[in-house]
Each structure stands twice: as C-alpha cells, then as structure tokens.
Amino acid sequence: MDTQPSPIPSLSASPPTAKRDPMTDAARPEARSPRGFIDRRARDLTAERKILAAVAEVYERYGFEALETGAFEFADALGKFLPDADRPNAGVFALQDDDEQWMALRYDLTAPLARFAAQNWESLPKPFRRYAFGPVWRNEKPGPGRYREFVQCDADTVGSARPEADAEIIAMAVAGLEAAGLPSGSAIVKINNRKLLNGLMSAAGVDSEAQKLVVLRAVDKLDRLGPDGVRLLLGEGRKDESGDFTKGAGLSAAASERVLAFTAAGAGDRTGTLAKLSNVVGGSAEGDEGLAELAAIDAALSRMGVGPDRAAFDPSVVRGLEYYTGAVFEAELLLQTTDEKGHPMRFGSIGGGGRYDDLVARFTGERTPATGFSFGVTRLAAALKAAGRDLAAAVRGPVVVLVLDQERMADYMAVAGELRAAGIAAEVYLGASGMRPQMKYADRRLSPVAVIMGGDEFAAGTATLKDLDLGRALASGVTDNAAWRAERPGQMTVPRAELVAAVRRIVEAPSSQGPRT
C-alpha cells in the first residue's frame, strides 16, 4: 500500500472556473472569501475597538478582571456534542489533534469560562468576576448579517447565587451599552425569570418538556404574531399566509389565557409588574421563588439608579430559557433605525444573558451559580450605524507627505518622522505616481492634510499644506457654517520650522459638524 501523504494542493481543490497559468498549466487559485467570513478594513475595526475600549473601562470600574482563553477548546467542553460523535462538526469547526482528541474553535465565550473556572477553582477569588472579548466561530449556514466568525463581549460572575449579582450584571450592561455610544433611554434591558415560567407551566397544567418547549416558542413569537396568533399556537395550531400549518401546544382555552395574561403583565413599572405576575403565578413554590428574586433585583437596580426606562420586567422574554436557570435578560434597541436603503426597520435584540447555574457542573459535578451578559460587538456597531450613530464616521487616515522630488526622499522621511514624534500619524507616499494621483491617494486614505514640498518650497525653506478635511466637507455640501469655512484656508504655505505646529492646528481643529472623535 502506498502510504505517501497526498500533496498539499489536493487539500484545497480549485474552483471549476479557476484560470490556469499559461506557462505552467497549473490552476491559479481564485481570490475569494469562504462563505460567512468577511474582510474588515480600518473603518469597521475602528468602530469595534471604540466600543470595546469604552465597555472594558465600564466593566473594570465594576471590579471585573479581563480574561482571555484560547481559540480552541476540547469539543466535549463546549457542551453541544455527543462524546462518541465521529466528527463533532455540527455547529463548530473541529479538528482532531495528534492525540486523537477532537478540538473545536470556541462557539462562544461562556463555555471556555466554565472550563477555566472548573480547572482553576481552588486558586480563584470567589465569586470570580471576569469580562472577555474576542472572535467566536460557528459552523452554521451564513446569511445576510449572519456570519460564521464574529466578535463577542461577555461579563460574568461565577460563584454567587444572590439576585444582586444578576442586578449588578444588568446595571453594568446598561452602563456598558451607553458608554459604547447609545444615549440613555435608547436601549432597554428586559428581564424575566425561568422560575416564573416554570410556575406558570405548573399552573397551566403543562407537564412534559416537549409541551413546555412548544409554549415557549409560541410566546417568543408574540412581537411578530400578536396575542391572537400566539393564542392559536398555544391551542391546536396556526395556519400562516402560505397555508403551512404549525401544530400548537394543545393547551385548554383557560390555560392559554393564563399564559397570555402572564405575557401581558409587563406593562408599567417594575413594582406594578411584580404585582400582576403574582396574580398569575403566585402560590407555586417555584413561582414565588422567582418573584422574590425579581423583587431583590428591582431593589438593587433602584438603589443603583437604574430605572424602569433602562431595565424593565418583561414576562414575554423567553429566549434561551432552555439554558438559563433563573433570571434572563435581553437588551433591545429603541432608537429609530433604517436599512441600507433608508427604510425604517426594527433592529431588535443587541445582547442578552441570564443566570446559568448548571454549566460549571458539567466539569465538577457540583452546581456552581453563575450569571452573565453578552453582546455581539459587530452587531452593536451595526445597530449604532443603523441609528445614525456611526462610530467610524470620523475615522481619518494619516497625514500624507507627497514626494515631488525623488532626490529628496530622505527629507520627506524626516518630515514624517517629525510628525510622528509629535504624536501625529504620518506617512510618506511610496508609490511612483505624479502629484495628482498622490493627492487622490491622500484623499482615499482620508488624510486630514497633504504636505507638499517641491523645489520652490525647499529653496524657500517652506512647506505647503492642503486641508483635505475642508475639501471633503465642502464637497459633501457643508455650506451652513460660513465662519468655520472662513477660518480655514484650503491651502497655506508655512515656514519649514512651523510645519508640525501648523499641521497640528489643522488636525485638531473642530470640524463643521462638531468635535472629531
């Protein structure tokens, strides 16, 4: 038997339409991105970095420490796969290590935390409070706005069963979203409790786990279908506009109305919501326990200054309740948003979390209380952009030093060096084009200033500066700020010794739209 390993090119077949090199007849690889993976340039990266920096500052102010775990975890640690699966690739990207153990790129940031906590529990301060951010990978079907790789940001407390730990996570989530760029009142964290739903199920006579799941899925469609549509799904079922029939949960009319009364109890402040919920689920042991936990969360949030306009009790929040064991929360964007064509749209959820007391127990066999909040950084950046608050809108490139005399390259490099030493981003044009293409290059780089030094400037000991920010503002139709335009000459010549100071004035000057970020 031939045991010679296959050559590397066979591991990545070329697409059928690949062109062939006329000299070697070898297939040329097509420049293409794998489905669900995207390339991001400075504009998008800058927006995400601003979000992460702002949120990390909030989390550290709350006493949470940063933690970074590896991109790979053993597949069985992710909690999604059967240990005897031949290849655990349903939902994750997996590979088999040389010790024949399956590893997978992390699916989220919570499972690695559970593994880390179980592995290091004896040496950790308890409760253990950590935040983390980084890319996660999901081997799922990609679609519009749905990628296989994206950045998440999490904060979790492991080792505290107190409802105040949930309240602190909620307050921190509110503060983090506002620090990221959402004005107060433009998003709300909606809170529910798994124990309330368990009490509701008992009161409605729902016993089987399968029936509970159908009820939860029906309630999750409340925003889209309304009470009448959900009522059908709680009963015998519903036929949609296409004629497709969805089998219902099979509840009685009285039980269905009880579930709908539960979902409608969220109107009003938190205290009023608790009173309405008590009328629906009060009396069952688990329901009463859930009510007591929400009351403690309400008291803590109120003392921390987080009112019902920023965090509200909403019994219709049911997403993830197969996973969460107590409080569950979901952050929803309230700002008016538009799609790429300018049409109004509902953006919906921008983050969520809750209490998950069973995850660490997968490793230790002992229940360990935990609670946390997570949001997708890319999604939040998209939400801000859709709401007209694009964090990358003011991103600019470096000052560009044009090269008009190839014999003076060392002088141009010296200019860039002086600007950099003064804390100003700068580069020398290193292409081979003339002045006009160089100016076009500087504009595409979103440079604030182009430094022009040719024979005349070198002879006179001067430098010419072109204010590209001004040019772009005028080109975009900024005509309502005459004073701003009058104070900014589009081009100026300054003594060589004053070049750095003059560039700084242009770079740091306020724009016609307000301060730059």
Side-chain angles (χ1 to χ4, degrees):
M1 179 181 292
D2 184 4
T3 59
Q4 182 70 21
S6 301
I8 289 177
S10 68
L11 298 178
S12 179
S14 299
T17 58
K19 296 180 180 180
R20 308 194 76 82
D21 190 304
M23 300 296 293
T24 63
D25 197 38
R28 293 177 181 170
E30 180 184 343
R32 66 202 192 281
S33 299
R35 291 187 310 123
F37 294 85
I38 59 173
D39 302 313
R40 295 177 298 160
R41 294 185 64 186
R43 180 183 179 85
D44 296 322
L45 294 174
T46 297
E48 292 189 6
R49 287 169 182 167
K50 286 182 178 180
I51 289 172
L52 289 173
V55 172
E57 183 179 351
V58 170
Y59 289 177
E60 290 180 4
R61 196 161 63 238
Y62 273 73
F64 284 66
E65 69 169 81
L67 173 68
E68 183 174 303
T69 58
F72 276 93
E73 295 283 339
F74 285 116
D76 60 358
L78 297 178
K80 189 179 176 63
F81 314 101
L82 296 175
D84 59 350
D86 292 334
R87 178 177 173 81
N89 63 349
V92 298
F93 294 97
L95 59 86
Q96 198 168 24
D97 204 358
D98 55 11
D99 60 0
E100 298 187 354
Q101 295 192 69
W102 282 101
M103 301 189 304
L105 287 170
R106 62 192 181 201
Y107 184 87
D108 61 14
L109 297 177
T110 310
L113 168 64
R115 186 269 306 160
F116 175 85
Q119 188 176 357
N120 299 278
W121 192 243
E122 293 304 319
S123 62
L124 292 177
K126 295 179 255 311
F128 178 57
R129 301 149 66 87
R130 84 89 174 89
Y131 75 92
F133 56 81
V136 297
W137 296 267
R138 299 187 178 180
N139 188 4
E140 299 172 341
K141 184 178 180 179
R146 185 182 181 90
Y147 304 115
R148 288 171 162 173
E149 178 184 31
F150 54 94
V151 178
Q152 277 192 327
C153 182
D154 289 21
D156 298 80
T157 297
V158 182
S160 175
R162 299 184 65 93
E164 290 80 8
D166 300 305
E168 185 178 53
I169 288 287
I170 294 167
M172 192 169 67
V174 169
L177 292 174
E178 291 176 0
L182 290 174
S184 179
S186 61
I188 189 168
V189 177
K190 297 180 177 181
I191 308 160
N192 197 2
N193 193 300
R194 171 65 184 266
K195 295 174 183 178
L196 294 182
L197 279 155
N198 288 345
L200 173 68
M201 298 293 185
S202 297
V206 179
D207 298 321
S208 73
E209 291 301 320
Q211 191 178 23
K212 288 180 182 179
L213 184 58
V214 176
V215 172
L216 292 178
R217 287 174 176 168
V219 173
D220 194 33
K221 295 180 174 63
L222 187 63
D223 285 347
R224 183 164 59 87
L225 301 180
D228 291 338
V230 172
R231 184 178 287 107
L232 293 174
L233 290 176
L234 292 173
E236 295 304 315
R238 176 182 178 272
K239 182 182 291 187
D240 63 21
E241 293 79 2
S242 68
D244 291 339
F245 182 78
T246 301
K247 186 178 179 180
L251 300 187
S252 67
S256 296
E257 293 306 318
R258 187 159 195 155
V259 172
L260 287 170
F262 175 84
T263 62
D269 60 20
R270 293 193 295 253
T271 302
T273 299
L274 285 175
K276 295 176 185 176
L277 288 172
S278 179
N279 293 332
V280 180
V281 301
S284 68
E286 199 166 8
D288 287 342
E289 187 176 343
L291 288 170
E293 290 176 2
L294 286 186
I297 290 173
D298 173 42
L301 288 175
S302 298
R303 294 303 297 267
M304 287 187 284
V306 181
D309 59 324
R310 300 158 81 195
F313 293 151
D314 187 341
S316 68
V317 174
V318 299
R319 295 179 65 182
L321 285 182
E322 300 165 65
Y323 169 77
Y324 294 114
T325 58
V328 58
F329 18 94
E330 185 171 305
E332 181 179 342
L333 186 68
L334 301 179
L335 287 176
Q336 178 68 42
T337 57
T338 56
D339 60 20
E340 294 180 353
K341 296 182 179 180
H343 300 144
M345 68 173 186
R346 180 181 178 274
F347 202 92
S349 175
I350 53 175
R355 176 162 289 281
Y356 53 97
D357 291 345
D358 294 332
L359 194 57
V360 178
R362 295 185 60 253
F363 300 94
T364 64
E366 298 179 4
R367 200 173 213 220
T368 303
T371 183
F373 177 81
S374 174
F375 69 88
V377 181
T378 303
R379 181 166 176 80
L380 180 55
L384 290 165
K385 185 176 181 179
R389 299 177 180 276
D390 189 357
L391 295 180
V395 173
R396 292 183 299 171
V399 172
V400 174
V401 181
L402 275 56
V403 174
L404 305 181
D405 184 348
Q406 297 294 332
E407 301 300 319
R408 308 296 294 256
M409 282 298 296
D411 294 317
Y412 295 128
M413 290 291 183
V415 171
E418 292 175 25
L419 291 168
R420 292 165 184 158
I424 301 171
E427 67 167 278
V428 176
Y429 177 76
L430 296 177
S433 300
M435 180 174 177
R436 181 171 294 181
Q438 291 188 50
M439 290 297 298
K440 187 175 183 179
Y441 170 84
D443 192 54
R444 285 185 172 178
R445 292 284 280 129
L446 295 180
S447 172
V449 186
V451 178
I452 304 169
M453 298 176 67
D456 292 343
E457 283 84 5
F458 280 114
T462 61
T464 298
L465 308 179
K466 188 167 184 63
D467 187 339
L468 300 180
D469 274 351
L470 174 63
R472 279 187 289 271
L474 295 177
S476 65
V478 177
T479 59
D480 60 346
N481 195 331
W484 173 79
R485 288 185 288 114
E487 293 174 359
R488 294 180 64 131
Q491 186 167 301
M492 68 182 76
T493 299
V494 300
R496 173 67 178 81
E498 299 177 11
L499 184 150
V500 172
V503 169
R504 185 187 300 280
R505 284 195 296 272
I506 297 175
V507 170
E508 296 181 353
S511 73
S512 65
Q513 305 301 312
R516 298 188 184 97
T517 57

